[in-house]
Amino acid sequence: MLKSKKRWKHHEHWPHPPWAPGSHDHGFPRWPRARYRRGRFLFFRFAGIFGFIVLLVLGGMAALAFMLTRLFGGDGQMAALVWIGGCGLSLALPLLAGALALWAFRDIATPLADVMAAADAVAEGDLSVRVQVPTHGPREFGRLAESFNHMTGELECADQRRRNLTADVAHELRTPLHIIQGNLEGILDDVYEPTEEHIGATLDETRTLARLVDDLRTLSLAEAGQLPLVWEPVDVTELLADVGTSFSGQAEAAGIDLRIEPALSLPNGAGGDPSSMTITADVGRLDQVLGNLVANALRHTPSGGVITLRAEPVLSAVEGPIHEGIRIIVRDTGEGIPAEDLPYIFDRFWRGDRSRSHARGAGSGLGLAIAKQLVQAHGGRIGVESEPGQGTTFTIELPMGM
């Protein structure tokens, strides 16, 4: 069996060199050269604009001196004095213009050149590029650089997840396909007898493939917001009872106590209202979510352990108890989940067993990812708390209706 893929962890990408490693053009990194070209272009553009302004100022001062001399009837000496004053002012203005040009180049042109060159690198497929956040100048350019780095970081993570998904799907499909191929070839070559046992094993693998394809389809539809849901009133108490009945046989065979706890009593008699435990939802999808959670709990809870299901209203303290939704809790006393794995348990194909095997009836690794998407499709949220050796608690919060 292949070892499990390394989990992709989000991390800070800066500081990084401002070019993509391995991205070269004639022996030189492409992004610094593009950045230099962009900066030079912007510098000459700024210089041209300010130079044009200086020429206008010089011409204006000459025209002003001529007009003042004619207006006040001054002689050549007056014209010379006005001209000298205008030239002095004209010399000061270019210095001011030059200072403004340098400021604009350092605080405006350079950050813009960095972002433009990095955007070109991203357009060419380099998602590892980052820009340096300027420490001076307008704060807007700093926020622009931070937003750009965040965007490229998310794009890089998404691309890595896409690559991991491709590898995971290939791995999950390869194992049952090899078993089916081996069994059929063995029967054709008279290595295996076409007994019920061998045909049944082959049929089980085809069911595994069908379940994997169906899970992938459900997950993709849920993530795209296109999963059809049948909205109807659902009594959560009855839903938990049905789930408990469905898994009671497996729990009894494994020596596990599967308990359905009553809802907590509420103030002002709210707990006695039958509608307090009724929400508008798709009962089939909620049953699928709870089935995934209970199946996981059964796999990771040893004999003699306890699995508890409980539902309770979520209240608001504004002007007395107001029902905002329902909280469903699935708690087990199993082996627990290491703290370093908790951020990834809702990822596709994540499984606690590092060998990625299907031992102990392990599923495809999509159950928790599907559960999260189905809960979010209902406008709810799902969370998990766990401590190794103490057990795991999944909490689902659902609104009263969409």
Side-chain angles (χ1 to χ4, degrees):
M1 276 304 218
L2 297 177
K3 294 183 178 180
S4 62
K5 66 181 178 66
K6 296 182 179 179
R7 307 310 311 175
W8 177 257
K9 298 184 178 180
H10 181 73
H11 56 277
E12 293 293 334
H13 294 280
W14 186 261
H16 275 245
W19 60 83
S23 177
H24 291 74
D25 183 17
H26 301 291
F28 298 94
R30 291 183 298 179
W31 188 47
R33 293 183 57 176
R35 176 175 179 247
Y36 172 73
R37 289 195 299 268
R38 294 280 188 184
R40 184 175 58 182
F41 169 76
L42 292 175
F43 174 77
F44 284 122
R45 188 170 181 176
F46 276 108
I49 293 174
F50 282 110
F52 180 71
I53 293 175
V54 169
L55 290 177
L56 290 179
V57 170
L58 288 174
M61 294 304 301
L64 179 63
F66 179 77
M67 292 175 61
L68 290 176
T69 302
R70 287 299 183 90
L71 181 63
F72 294 103
D75 54 9
Q77 185 178 5
M78 174 64 70
L81 290 175
V82 173
W83 174 255
I84 292 174
C87 289
L89 184 60
S90 299
L91 290 176
L93 286 176
L95 294 178
L96 178 61
L100 290 175
L102 290 177
W103 171 84
F105 177 75
R106 186 191 67 176
D107 294 344
I108 298 177
T110 300
L112 284 178
D114 289 348
V115 174
M116 293 168 66
D120 289 340
V122 172
E124 295 176 1
D126 179 14
L127 300 179
S128 64
V129 66
R130 302 292 184 272
V131 296
Q132 186 172 4
V133 179
T135 57
H136 48 74
R139 290 180 297 177
E140 288 76 9
F141 289 101
R143 288 198 292 267
L144 174 63
E146 292 174 353
S147 299
F148 182 88
N149 290 338
H150 178 71
M151 178 194 70
T152 53
E154 292 299 319
L155 289 175
E156 191 173 21
C157 289
D159 182 67
Q160 182 64 34
R161 286 193 293 267
R162 178 184 60 81
R163 296 173 186 272
N164 290 342
L165 175 62
T166 302
D168 287 336
V169 171
H171 174 84
E172 296 295 335
L173 291 176
R174 182 170 57 247
T175 301
L177 285 175
H178 282 179
I179 294 176
I180 293 173
Q181 180 181 354
N183 287 344
L184 294 178
E185 289 178 350
I187 292 174
L188 289 176
D189 296 338
D190 294 330
V191 176
Y192 300 142
E193 293 290 335
T195 62
E196 182 179 351
E197 178 183 359
H198 287 110
I199 295 176
T202 304
L203 183 60
D204 288 341
E205 295 303 324
T206 61
R207 293 193 182 103
T208 300
L209 283 176
R211 185 169 60 251
L212 175 61
V213 172
D214 187 62
D215 287 347
L216 285 172
R217 179 178 179 275
T218 300
L219 186 59
S220 62
L221 289 175
E223 289 179 340
Q226 299 177 353
L227 185 66
L229 299 175
V230 180
W231 299 100
E232 57 183 325
V234 178
D235 189 324
V236 178
T237 302
E238 293 182 0
L239 176 63
L240 294 185
D242 291 341
V243 173
T245 302
S246 300
F247 287 93
S248 59
Q250 298 181 35
E252 184 177 357
I256 299 173
D257 184 10
L258 181 58
R259 302 175 181 175
I260 311 296
E261 292 187 351
L264 298 177
S265 59
L266 300 175
N268 299 332
D273 183 3
S275 64
S276 64
M277 299 302 294
T278 301
I279 61 175
T280 302
D282 187 320
V283 63
R285 294 304 182 183
L286 290 186
D287 183 76
Q288 183 178 1
V289 170
L290 294 176
N292 286 337
L293 296 181
V294 174
N296 280 338
L298 287 172
R299 281 196 295 268
H300 298 286
T301 302
S303 178
V306 178
I307 298 176
T308 304
L309 303 180
R310 188 177 77 243
E312 58 191 27
V314 180
L315 302 180
S316 171
V318 180
E319 296 182 358
I322 300 176
H323 297 289
E324 294 184 333
I326 296 294
R327 180 184 294 116
I328 301 175
I329 299 172
V330 180
R331 180 182 296 113
D332 65 64
T333 58
E335 59 196 37
I337 303 172
E340 61 271 16
D341 288 341
L342 282 177
Y344 313 110
I345 64 170
F346 294 109
D347 290 354
R348 297 176 178 184
F349 297 107
W350 183 89
R351 282 200 295 267
D353 57 318
R354 299 299 184 180
S355 64
R356 295 167 55 85
S357 67
H358 293 272
R360 294 193 297 172
S364 63
L366 294 173
L368 292 179
I370 292 175
K372 179 180 179 180
Q373 291 299 325
L374 292 180
V375 170
Q376 291 179 347
H378 282 79
R381 59 184 179 181
I382 183 172
V384 60
E385 296 179 357
S386 184
E387 184 176 348
Q390 301 298 320
T392 302
T393 301
F394 284 91
T395 303
I396 301 172
E397 292 186 357
L398 299 169
M400 298 303 293
M402 292 294 289

